[in-house]
Amino acid sequence: MAEKMSPSPGGGITPLQQMLASGTGAILTSLFVTPLDVVKIRLQAQRTPFSKALAVQSVPWGAQPATWKCFLYCNGLMDHLYVCQNGNGCSAWYKAPGHFTGTLDAFVKITRYEGIRSLWSGLPPTLVMAVPATVIYFTTYDQLRDYLHARMGSWGHYIPLLAGALARLGAVTVISPLELIRTKMQSQQLSYRELRLCIQSAVAQDGWLSLWRGWGPTVLRDVPFSALYWFNYELVRTWLCRQPWLDGATFMVSFTSGAISGTVAAVLTLPFDVVKTQRQIELGDSEAHPVAASKPSSTWLLMQRIRAESGTRGLFAGFLPRVIKVAPACAIMISTYEFGKSFFQKLNQEQQLRGL
């Protein structure tokens, strides 16, 4: 794994090859990170089973109360909202009984009694969104960075910051309505025809912008995260490549740079992550109970409420779990992506030499 890679990650390969490299990285990242989140969700489900997941305050008087629960599932690339109503519309793996004493115990027992494949439960449906989003994001970043490098000579240090922010903004804008549609289908058990009618009704009532509900908090977290991540990644990677004890841009240099920059970005954007999680749960609640659900709070009001209830520390809740999840996900994704691009660069060079 000490194979030397090109110090100029965007040069010498086509956009299609960048897409293949990022798609491969996305799948590998999901395969490595998903078991961590499956175990986390199963531990949460054990503490709050379906029998206790009843929100009486959101059920109208005289209505039949519904047992429902929203939870977030992360495959290392995206957060996906799952809405379970009356025990339906929710995968069997989430409802499976378990008596776990901790994370390691959960890993061992799930593997022993349910089979090792259970650690990747729920992964395939989330990849349908996550892989295209990652391909758009990484390919757009490389294309933007190379374009800006050719036009912003003296401002070169800030190019990763700008390219990272714009690439993430584009990816979130494309994927946001698709993720809302997926949540709506899953929460309300709609057929494709019913879904089409539901979307037409929502657009007629609230306009096309209603398809981008939840876009604001996602952008507020993901765009600063992306800008900080790429800025620090290029900085750390360049610094490591200059060290005499390292043999240039190797796989481990990319892996280490990705882990460090991902950790820094995750810590600095943690308050936005807390707010985004709250807003996504509110969104799930409104899909589960469209009549009774209250209008979601604004991001600023939500931050004020969290601070009033839990203090400033409340805005940094979940610090360790987020870092434990983000650092390896960023490291695996970027190192696999760089390795894939290096592979295609060498392939293209060999083809050019053969053509001479």
Side-chain angles (χ1 to χ4, degrees):
M1 283 301 181
E3 184 179 349
K4 197 169 181 179
M5 296 192 289
S6 167
S8 177
I13 64 172
T14 65
L16 180 60
Q17 289 171 332
Q18 288 173 343
M19 292 169 77
L20 287 170
S22 56
T24 304
I27 292 167
L28 286 174
T29 302
S30 298
L31 289 174
F32 276 102
V33 177
T34 293
L36 296 172
D37 218 53
V38 167
V39 167
K40 183 201 79 176
I41 290 166
R42 290 291 296 276
L43 287 167
Q44 287 175 344
Q46 178 179 276
R47 287 194 294 270
T48 315
F50 271 90
S51 58
K52 295 179 183 175
L54 184 65
V56 177
Q57 67 274 15
S58 64
V59 181
W61 290 108
Q64 181 66 34
T67 303
W68 57 273
K69 188 169 181 65
C70 302
F71 68 92
L72 288 178
Y73 175 106
C74 181
N75 56 16
L77 302 167
M78 285 177 69
D79 294 329
H80 299 270
L81 184 70
Y82 272 84
V83 185
C84 308
Q85 251 183 312
N86 297 321
N88 298 320
C90 193
S91 304
W93 63 271
Y94 177 75
K95 296 183 287 180
H99 302 284
F100 311 123
T101 57
T103 302
L104 188 61
D105 183 58
F107 267 111
V108 172
K109 285 181 177 174
I110 290 170
T111 305
R112 183 182 296 167
Y113 299 118
E114 300 174 32
I116 196 164
R117 288 175 62 185
S118 290
L119 291 173
W120 286 271
S121 302
L123 176 61
T126 66
L127 286 182
V128 174
M129 292 291 174
V131 173
T134 306
V135 167
I136 293 167
Y137 173 43
F138 276 78
T139 306
T140 304
Y141 170 77
D142 266 357
Q143 293 293 317
L144 268 173
R145 188 204 54 213
D146 293 346
Y147 174 83
L148 292 171
H149 262 303
R151 285 159 178 79
M152 292 175 64
S154 60
W155 294 86
H157 290 301
Y158 300 100
I159 287 172
L161 201 73
L162 181 59
L166 290 174
R168 194 63 193 172
L169 183 66
V172 168
T173 303
V174 170
I175 293 297
S176 190
L178 300 177
E179 181 66 8
L180 182 71
I181 289 167
R182 188 195 66 82
T183 304
K184 196 179 285 287
M185 279 191 77
Q186 193 235 341
S187 63
Q188 298 180 24
Q189 301 290 289
L190 300 174
S191 68
Y192 283 104
R193 184 177 176 278
E194 289 169 332
L195 178 67
R196 183 170 57 82
L197 293 171
C198 184
I199 291 168
Q200 285 175 346
S201 173
V203 168
Q205 187 176 345
D206 302 314
W208 284 101
L209 288 178
S210 62
L211 295 178
W212 277 269
R213 282 179 62 202
W215 177 86
T218 304
V219 164
L220 198 60
R221 182 197 70 172
D222 287 7
V223 170
F225 177 93
S226 179
L228 289 166
Y229 170 76
W230 286 110
F231 180 75
N232 287 308
Y233 172 74
E234 300 287 4
L235 210 64
V236 173
R237 186 171 184 266
T238 302
W239 182 81
L240 286 174
C241 287
R242 288 175 182 162
Q243 300 311 303
W245 43 275
L246 284 171
D247 187 26
T250 63
F251 181 90
M252 282 312 298
V253 165
S254 296
F255 189 93
T256 306
S257 304
I260 293 169
S261 53
T263 301
V264 171
V267 172
L268 292 176
T269 58
L270 189 57
F272 298 128
D273 182 62
V274 172
V275 170
K276 179 180 180 285
T277 300
Q278 292 280 343
R279 288 290 296 272
Q280 277 190 289
I281 297 298
E282 283 184 357
L283 180 62
D285 294 348
S286 67
E287 294 301 337
H289 294 284
V291 176
S294 59
K295 189 179 179 181
S297 314
S298 73
T299 301
W300 176 244
L301 288 175
L302 199 51
M303 287 182 83
Q304 286 183 316
R305 192 178 79 199
I306 293 167
R307 193 166 181 269
E309 291 174 359
S310 312
T312 305
R313 288 182 64 184
L315 292 171
F316 290 88
F319 164 79
L320 197 59
R322 178 155 161 79
V323 169
I324 288 170
K325 185 165 60 181
V326 168
C330 287
I332 294 163
M333 179 64 218
I334 194 64
S335 54
T336 309
Y337 181 52
E338 297 284 17
F339 184 83
K341 289 195 295 180
S342 179
F343 168 80
F344 283 121
Q345 282 173 339
K346 287 176 182 174
L347 190 70
N348 292 346
Q349 285 168 3
E350 287 171 6
Q351 286 177 343
Q352 284 174 355
L353 288 171
R354 286 197 204 106
L356 292 174

